[in-house]
Amino acid sequence: MWLREKTLTEFIIEEQRKAPGATGGFTALLNDIRLACKRIAYLVGKGALTDALGRAGSDNVQGEAQMKLDVLANDIFLRTNEWGGHLAAMVSEELEQPYLIPAQYPRGRYLLVFDPLDGSSNIDVNVSVGSIFSVLRCADGVVEPTAADFLQPGVQQVCAGYAIYGPTTMLVLTLGRGVHGFTLDREIGEFVLTHPGLRVPEDTSEFAINASNSRFWEPAVKRYVDECLAGKAGPRGKDFNMRWVASLVAEAHRILLRGGVFMYPRDSRDPASPGRLRLLYEANPIGLVIEQAGGRASSGLAPILEIKPDSLHQRIGFMFGSRHEVERLERYHRDFNQREYDAPLFGSRGLFRAPA
Ligand code: MN
Ligand code: MN
């Protein structure tokens, strides 16, 4: 029997009809973003069958080695989104400055921010990677946007989402009214609504953190992880599991579907760098998706979406996931960051601390 399914196009047009005065420009922009993700899904899915794997031999603006697919995915995002007339400019992880829409195309009212390929260090080992995107409004009257026009807190995002290129390719989207997941049907070439109204479970016993950095963590994070590791016998009274994919999109997707808490906290390794992940095109879009699904996203010190960015590639401590766990982490930050954590529950030292 043929099952009538709702495509992403149909979903977006229905949403457009709910917004009085909508002109369809935003719908067309989302269609272009969708196409960019399909083009990247195709390339990623080919793996070693094309010449697209491996290092590009160059560094990006942040001094990270670029993979060939970083460069290709960035180019796909720019080329697929520049011509439609809906954007004034774009900002990418791979570009130092905003990319202004070339003069031969009309300029529109929106700004697009993206990480074209997230988790790309995983690409050669066939682990899930993704693309992250966020749409902002361009202020009225601005035709030549500068970096300053992009420095808007995450609450101002018009829409945000990601594509995950895993065993299946999915596109996860929020337009500010819940979070919806679409699975790419490769035969018909359409994203199909398979996961409407996603909700992050409020409680969890799964956490994700790169424990090799534990000696640099702040007291609040040390305490939180110590208590998780102590399991049933500890103050939490239950056992926890740990996960670490090292691909933000894959971590966010797992947490969106079954709960959990992710931490890449600010640490003391490099006092000049207050975290690892980028606010504009990683933390903000993932933060909006998670919060729209009933979870919470925080720097530990403040809600992510309320932080006013101070530069395009600003890094930030980022934790998100099941609401009650992130609230606990925020509480520990308030309680513990003023003083040294002495792990009173475990005698004289935390589980991750070196013996005195
Ligand atoms: Mn990334
Ligand atoms: Mn990237």
Side-chain angles (χ1 to χ4, degrees):
M1 197 183 86
W2 178 67
L3 195 65
R4 191 194 180 292
E5 55 204 8
K6 186 181 286 185
T7 65
L8 176 57
T9 308
E10 187 179 347
F11 173 87
I12 297 167
I13 288 173
E14 273 182 13
E15 289 294 307
Q16 181 197 321
R17 287 175 185 154
K18 289 181 199 160
T23 59
F26 182 63
T27 298
L29 169 60
L30 280 174
N31 272 328
D32 289 345
I33 294 171
R34 173 195 64 155
L35 179 57
C37 294
K38 284 204 288 190
R39 284 176 164 157
I40 297 168
Y42 167 78
L43 266 185
V44 168
K46 282 287 171 193
L49 299 175
T50 67
D51 188 33
L53 292 190
R55 286 173 182 262
S58 49
D59 286 351
N60 68 10
V61 292
Q62 335 202 19
E64 298 161 337
Q66 284 176 308
M67 308 298 279
K68 283 186 203 165
L69 273 168
D70 284 322
V71 178
L72 287 168
N74 186 59
D75 207 49
I76 287 171
F77 251 88
L78 294 176
R79 297 291 91 77
T80 310
N81 288 292
E82 68 184 352
W83 62 273
H86 321 297
L87 291 175
M90 299 183 241
V91 155
S92 163
E93 180 188 33
E94 306 298 334
L95 300 174
E96 186 163 9
Q97 296 296 331
Y99 175 86
L100 293 182
I101 299 304
Q104 72 261 38
Y105 303 121
R107 283 195 187 163
R109 303 151 49 206
Y110 295 104
L111 304 171
L112 176 62
V113 177
F114 57 90
D115 176 353
L117 200 64
D118 174 73
S120 58
S121 65
N122 279 327
I123 193 85
D124 285 356
V125 291
N126 202 5
V127 166
S128 295
V129 291
S131 302
I132 310 175
F133 56 88
S134 157
V135 177
L136 298 164
R137 268 192 198 87
C138 188
D140 282 340
V142 174
V143 275
E144 300 266 316
T146 63
D149 293 296
F150 285 85
L151 303 181
Q152 306 178 28
V155 284
Q156 294 183 16
Q157 293 170 100
V158 179
C159 96
Y162 60 83
I164 179 166
Y165 315 115
T168 58
T169 286
M170 285 188 68
L171 196 142
V172 170
L173 181 69
T174 180
L175 306 177
R177 287 181 296 274
V179 178
H180 308 283
F182 302 82
T183 302
L184 180 61
D185 184 324
R186 293 177 195 274
E187 278 67 44
I188 59 172
E190 278 279 12
F191 282 104
V192 172
L193 180 61
T194 48
H195 295 65
L198 285 163
R199 302 293 293 171
V200 179
E202 291 190 335
D203 292 294
T204 182
S205 44
E206 226 168 57
F207 68 100
I209 192 164
N210 183 348
S212 71
N213 294 327
S214 61
R215 66 193 181 283
F216 302 114
W217 291 343
E218 293 185 326
V221 175
K222 280 185 181 157
R223 176 188 177 188
Y224 179 83
V225 174
D226 271 359
E227 291 182 357
C228 290
L229 293 176
K232 248 197 190 84
R236 301 298 306 274
K238 63 173 179 176
D239 291 335
F240 282 77
N241 249 321
M242 203 188 83
R243 293 285 181 276
W244 186 252
V245 191
S247 167
L248 177 64
V249 163
E251 310 273 5
H253 195 66
R254 182 189 66 250
I255 287 170
L256 188 61
L257 283 245
R258 71 172 193 213
V261 60
F262 170 95
M263 293 161 274
Y264 211 123
R266 190 175 75 158
D267 64 35
S268 63
R269 219 175 346 172
D270 175 7
S273 171
R276 166 97 181 89
L277 294 166
R278 273 64 55 100
L279 178 56
L280 227 51
Y281 41 82
E282 290 180 321
N284 272 343
I286 296 297
L288 188 64
V289 165
I290 293 291
E291 296 234 333
Q292 279 290 316
R296 190 161 174 83
S298 177
S299 71
L301 306 169
I304 277 292
L305 300 180
E306 288 174 17
I307 296 169
K308 168 101 170 67
D310 56 32
S311 64
L312 292 181
H313 302 287
Q314 177 182 354
R315 293 174 190 267
I316 193 138
F318 187 30
M319 42 202 78
F320 65 87
S322 294
R323 165 167 296 278
H324 293 154
E325 293 301 309
V326 178
E327 285 170 352
R328 176 183 290 267
L329 270 161
E330 290 176 308
R331 215 157 56 230
Y332 288 5
H333 277 79
R334 282 196 298 274
D335 290 355
F336 273 88
N337 272 10
Q338 307 310 320
R339 54 195 165 92
E340 183 63 8
Y341 167 51
D342 58 3
L345 296 159
F346 305 102
S348 60
R349 58 191 167 86
L351 299 178
F352 271 140
R353 296 179 90 193

